[in-house]
Amino acid sequence: MSRRSSGLIGVWAEAQRQQQRAQLIQQREAERRQRTYERDVARGRREQQAAYKQHREAEARRRTDELDAEVAALQGMLAAGCRAPAFRMAALVRSERLEPFNPGTLAHPLPMPQLQQFQQQSGGWALGGGRRAQAEREAHDRYTQAWQAAHAADQQRMRRLAAYREQYDRWAAGQLADVRRHNSGLTELAAALRAGDAEAAVEYFSAALYASTAWPEDLPRQVTAAYDPAARQLVLDWELPGFAVVPEAKSVRYQPSTDQDKETARPATQRRAVYRDLLAQCVLLVLRELYAADEFGTLDSVVVNGFVDDHDPVTGREAQIVLATVLASRTAFSGLRLEQVSAVDCLVDGLRGQLSARPDQLTAVRAGRGPGEVGSGVVRHGGHGDGAEEEPDLFSMDPIAFENLVAELFRAMGMEAVTTQRSGDGGVDVEALDPAPIRGGRIVVQVKRYRNTVPPTAVRDLYGTVQDAGANKGVLVTTSSFGPGSYTFANGKPLELVPGVELVDLLHRYGLRGRLGDATSTAPTVAASRNVPAQRTAEPEALAPDRNVLGMSWSGSVALDVCALVCEGGRVLSEDHFVFFNNPRTPDGSVRSRPHSGPDKAAVEVGFDDLPQRADRLVLVAAIDPEVNPDADLAGFTDARIRLLGAAGEEIDRLEVSDGRAGETALVLGSFRRRANGDWKFVIGGKGYRGGLEDLLREYGIDVA
């Protein structure tokens, strides 16, 4: 009995030992896995830290390389400039080659109906007796009617083609006359240069400096010049870059202990030497550009006074401080090989000029002969001071001078305004302070000297700058225009957009000067409110014979913006092809806003034959005006219709459109769609949008984010 019990206990004990052994193995395995996991995590953390460190070190090296490249570009400016082609009057000659006449579909005759088609429709007259004769007469009648309609349509096409050709010929004759007048003026300018005319010399050599491809874009180009015919000498004051153009930092190094970048300052002596050498290069490059452009033998000598606009360290007032001056004769200059010289030695020893020993401290030198001492007319380019009779062209103005002009405009409007440094400005070109209570405060200004539409990304960047700088408002000033995406994004934010035409109007209103391109008259006034374009207050102009008016009316007092989109399929051709309150016409003028007359509440003028070839539809939309009726929807938009009017104001057709719906704030009224034969057919719309014009535009491919 005892042996049996002992055997059971032994089995049980062995089972316990096996179980304990298994648990121990599991525990050790779990501990092993935990240690493996912890090692993997630690290794991953070390690798991540190493990768982060490598990234920061690489970024620091990149910034150091940028600093080195920036200084190298300053040190090699003269050599690089000497490789640029010399300015020639031939570069100003305009080609007489014009855009060819392209009537599009109007050039193709319309297909005429064929009798066989109508015979086939009647079964080929496979009938007998009287039925066949009857079918023949009916087919012939239908053919005759179709032929007459097609012939009338083709005659209308030919009349339109002739009118379009006449319009093109008038345009081409005007363009050709302008080109020939311009080129004839160049011939006269060349003759005047050969004769030593002072005005011609100043005009030509100022243009040569201003249009030079040898001069870096980020350096100033302000020049005041005069010409002495008796001495055959050109005298000019030329603006030099400020000391800030030389980077303060020499290198950037990442410090892992503090997780920060540390900048190593450039030694003061090195920075001063680079700056002094740069000033000498600038003066020599001016001389090189002038003598290289003198293809008519006008110059025997040139006087250059290089200055900076800064505060005089003696008086504290803003002044032009001369840091370099030289009188260089053609004989002395022609023997130089500028690509090989030491700029400072060449200027001071080779040409006997003067160069400030401490330009970083604005230590001035005695200026040479100045333009005002010549006695003939003095002309200034790139600045906005007196001396120039012509309005300065904002498109071609020196970038720094343009920023100064914008700052001066803000000062003329009663604010304090200063331009920022070229580097480290955080995307701000001008800082202004409006002293007015409540609405005033700090304003950051960005200046965009563009010819094309400013992209919405620039407006979004400005908004980010306003937030980062803690400013009360951001203002974006441009020489071009803004698209709908920009205005939509700016709506409701502390942003103000100033397009080129409004900028010119403001300049003139506050006694300043500026024009956009070749425009000779004052730019039209832009309405202050975005919802009341200036065109609405004007009387309707007479229509060209091939133009139509789309007059829109509706019941209810809700305020609407009616807009038009020129599209290819479901996408607008470009932001410039969206006609709305701040873009009253397409670039080609085929669609434009128009003053309306009763009973219409809005009107759009369109030349269907003038629409771009790839455009296949003209979409009309309406949206609640958020400033007049911010809480309204389209429930009050009823009994809406579009009147299609001819050139004489006669009503050709009346097109019904859908009523609005509650909760929606934008609506597609309908679209005119191009058919295969070139005609346009109206298709009613009706799709509504709860997110207003912003949602609608996004669907048509316009960036409003």
Side-chain angles (χ1 to χ4, degrees):
M1 183 71 178
S2 60
R3 285 194 299 272
R4 182 182 300 174
S5 175
S6 175
L8 291 175
I9 291 175
V11 171
W12 176 82
E14 181 63 25
Q16 289 295 315
R17 285 194 298 272
Q18 292 294 337
Q19 184 178 0
Q20 291 173 359
R21 191 179 301 113
Q23 290 176 348
L24 180 60
I25 292 173
Q26 291 177 357
Q27 180 180 353
R28 291 175 177 173
E29 180 63 22
E31 291 174 351
R32 187 188 63 78
R33 288 197 298 267
Q34 179 65 25
R35 289 194 299 271
T36 301
Y37 170 75
E38 291 174 353
R39 285 196 300 270
D40 291 343
V41 170
R43 183 170 57 253
R45 187 180 297 114
R46 288 194 301 271
E47 291 175 352
Q48 186 178 15
Q49 290 173 346
Y52 175 75
K53 180 182 177 183
Q54 290 175 359
H55 169 72
R56 292 297 299 270
E57 290 175 343
E59 183 66 17
R61 287 194 298 272
R62 184 190 64 80
R63 291 177 58 191
T64 300
D65 292 342
E66 287 181 350
L67 293 171
D68 292 342
E70 193 173 344
V71 172
L74 296 178
Q75 294 173 327
M77 188 193 73
L78 178 60
C82 290
R83 292 192 292 269
F87 179 82
R88 289 289 180 266
M89 185 172 289
L92 302 176
V93 176
R94 295 180 183 175
S95 171
E96 294 189 3
R97 187 175 182 180
L98 302 178
E99 182 180 348
F101 178 62
N102 182 17
T105 56
L106 289 178
H108 305 294
L110 298 178
M112 302 300 289
Q114 302 296 322
L115 180 59
Q116 292 81 356
Q117 299 172 343
F118 296 88
Q119 292 174 343
Q120 293 172 357
Q121 293 174 5
S122 300
W125 299 339
L127 305 171
R131 291 180 61 192
R132 176 177 178 179
Q134 177 68 21
E136 182 177 351
R137 286 192 299 272
E138 292 175 353
H140 195 276
D141 290 343
R142 290 195 302 273
Y143 162 72
T144 301
Q145 293 174 357
W147 189 91
Q148 291 173 346
H151 179 71
D154 197 58
Q155 291 296 310
Q156 175 68 12
R157 177 194 64 81
M158 293 177 64
R159 287 191 293 271
R160 290 184 178 180
L161 178 61
Y164 186 30
R165 180 73 208 201
E166 182 180 356
Q167 179 184 3
Y168 170 83
D169 289 342
R170 287 197 303 269
W171 171 83
Q175 291 290 107
L176 194 58
D178 288 343
V179 170
R180 289 174 176 172
R181 187 162 46 249
H182 170 82
N183 292 342
S184 176
L186 294 180
T187 303
E188 295 174 1
L189 177 61
L193 286 170
R194 293 187 179 94
D197 180 78
E199 182 178 352
V202 170
E203 177 183 358
Y204 176 74
F205 289 109
S206 297
L209 287 175
Y210 200 73
S212 169
T213 58
W215 203 257
E217 279 295 326
D218 55 349
L219 295 189
R221 299 193 190 201
Q222 184 181 160
V223 58
T224 304
Y227 180 72
D228 184 347
R232 298 172 61 81
Q233 183 180 81
L234 183 69
V235 180
L236 63 146
D237 293 340
W238 178 262
E239 185 177 5
L240 299 172
F243 186 48
V245 74
V246 183
E248 294 184 37
K250 182 179 181 181
S251 63
V252 180
R253 183 168 56 88
Y254 172 62
Q255 293 183 314
S257 59
T258 59
D259 192 25
Q260 292 181 339
D261 289 334
K262 181 180 179 180
E263 290 185 350
T264 301
R266 190 175 302 278
T269 54
Q270 182 188 110
R271 193 174 179 215
R272 183 188 307 123
V274 172
Y275 181 53
R276 195 164 182 260
D277 182 71
L278 175 65
L279 299 185
Q281 289 185 74
C282 289
V283 174
L284 294 176
L285 187 56
V286 169
L287 294 172
R288 183 264 181 186
E289 292 298 282
L290 292 173
Y291 279 122
D294 186 18
E295 54 185 314
F296 304 102
T298 308
L299 303 177
D300 283 348
S301 62
V302 176
V303 177
V304 180
N305 298 306
F307 69 91
V308 292
D309 275 328
D310 212 318
H311 292 85
D312 191 325
V314 177
T315 65
R317 297 181 178 179
E318 291 188 3
Q320 289 188 350
I321 304 169
V322 177
L323 299 180
T325 184
V326 67
L327 190 164
S329 67
R330 177 185 289 275
T331 303
F333 189 79
S334 61
L336 301 176
R337 297 186 61 184
L338 293 182
E339 301 91 336
Q340 307 296 329
V341 302
S342 163
V344 174
D345 294 339
C346 179
L347 178 65
V348 176
D349 298 330
L351 295 176
R352 303 298 179 187
Q354 298 182 59
L355 179 63
S356 172
R358 300 298 295 269
D360 53 314
Q361 297 183 7
L362 301 179
T363 303
V365 299
R366 183 179 181 84
R369 186 185 191 189
E373 303 172 30
V374 174
S376 59
V378 178
V379 176
R380 176 179 303 226
H381 290 273
H384 49 271
D386 54 9
E389 293 298 328
E390 185 182 1
E391 294 269 358
D393 183 1
L394 302 183
F395 284 128
S396 58
M397 180 178 284
D398 171 71
I400 296 179
F402 184 44
E403 293 175 7
N404 289 333
L405 177 61
V406 173
E408 188 171 344
L409 172 61
F410 276 80
R411 289 192 288 268
M413 297 170 71
M415 307 181 201
E416 300 176 11
V418 295
T419 56
T420 62
Q421 295 292 331
R422 300 301 294 174
S423 60
D425 58 12
V428 178
D429 299 313
V430 176
E431 288 193 0
L433 181 64
D434 187 349
I438 302 177
R439 68 174 175 83
R442 184 186 175 201
I443 302 173
V444 294
V445 184
Q446 287 185 351
V447 177
K448 303 291 185 184
R449 197 160 56 97
Y450 288 179
R451 290 184 180 269
N452 298 323
T453 303
V454 177
T457 52
V459 184
R460 292 198 293 270
D461 292 344
L462 173 61
Y463 185 52
T465 301
V466 171
Q467 293 177 314
D468 293 341
N472 298 79
K473 179 192 285 189
V475 179
L476 186 53
V477 180
T478 184
T479 50
S480 59
S481 60
F482 300 94
S486 296
Y487 284 106
T488 303
F489 178 82
N491 187 32
K493 298 181 179 69
L495 301 176
E496 188 167 340
L497 309 182
V498 182
V501 289
E502 186 172 347
L503 172 61
V504 171
D505 178 63
L506 287 171
L507 291 172
H508 293 172
R509 191 184 308 170
Y510 287 93
L512 301 173
R513 302 156 68 91
R515 60 184 173 88
L516 297 174
D518 295 331
T520 56
S521 59
T522 301
T525 301
V526 176
S529 170
R530 71 165 188 83
N531 299 301
V532 189
Q535 290 88 337
R536 294 185 183 177
T537 61
E539 291 297 324
E541 300 177 357
L543 276 182
D546 57 347
R547 310 282 289 188
N548 294 97
V549 170
L550 306 175
M552 282 148 277
S553 61
W554 59 88
S555 299
S557 58
V558 62
L560 295 176
D561 287 319
V562 176
C563 317
L565 300 95
V566 181
C567 300
E568 180 180 15
R571 311 286 287 184
V572 68
L573 296 187
S574 72
E575 286 197 352
D576 292 334
H577 287 86
F578 172 46
V579 177
F580 67 117
F581 42 82
N582 273 306
N583 182 41
R585 66 191 300 275
T586 56
D588 56 9
S590 58
V591 182
R592 64 184 70 187
S593 298
R594 182 176 175 85
H596 62 271
S597 57
D600 302 324
K601 295 184 178 181
V604 172
E605 177 185 330
V606 57
F608 286 102
D609 291 336
D610 298 332
L611 288 168
Q613 286 295 315
R614 63 192 183 98
D616 58 9
R617 64 188 64 188
L618 173 67
V619 183
L620 302 175
V621 303
I624 294 291
D625 187 332
E627 294 187 3
V628 179
N629 295 127
D631 301 321
D633 59 19
L634 289 173
F637 181 74
T638 58
D639 300 326
R641 61 185 56 86
I642 300 173
R643 295 196 307 147
L644 177 62
L645 307 177
E650 75 280 10
E651 185 172 317
I652 299 175
D653 199 358
R654 181 168 295 198
L655 312 169
E656 302 295 330
V657 300
S658 299
D659 291 343
R661 292 176 288 272
E664 295 178 353
T665 53
L667 174 70
V668 176
L669 302 176
S671 60
F672 289 86
R673 303 190 179 184
R674 193 196 298 264
R675 305 175 73 178
N677 62 0
D679 291 339
W680 293 82
K681 178 183 178 181
F682 181 76
V683 178
I684 192 170
K687 183 174 181 179
Y689 299 82
R690 293 181 177 272
L693 191 59
E694 181 175 344
D695 277 0
L696 186 150
L697 294 178
R698 189 177 290 110
E699 185 165 311
Y700 280 88
I702 295 181
D703 182 11
V704 295

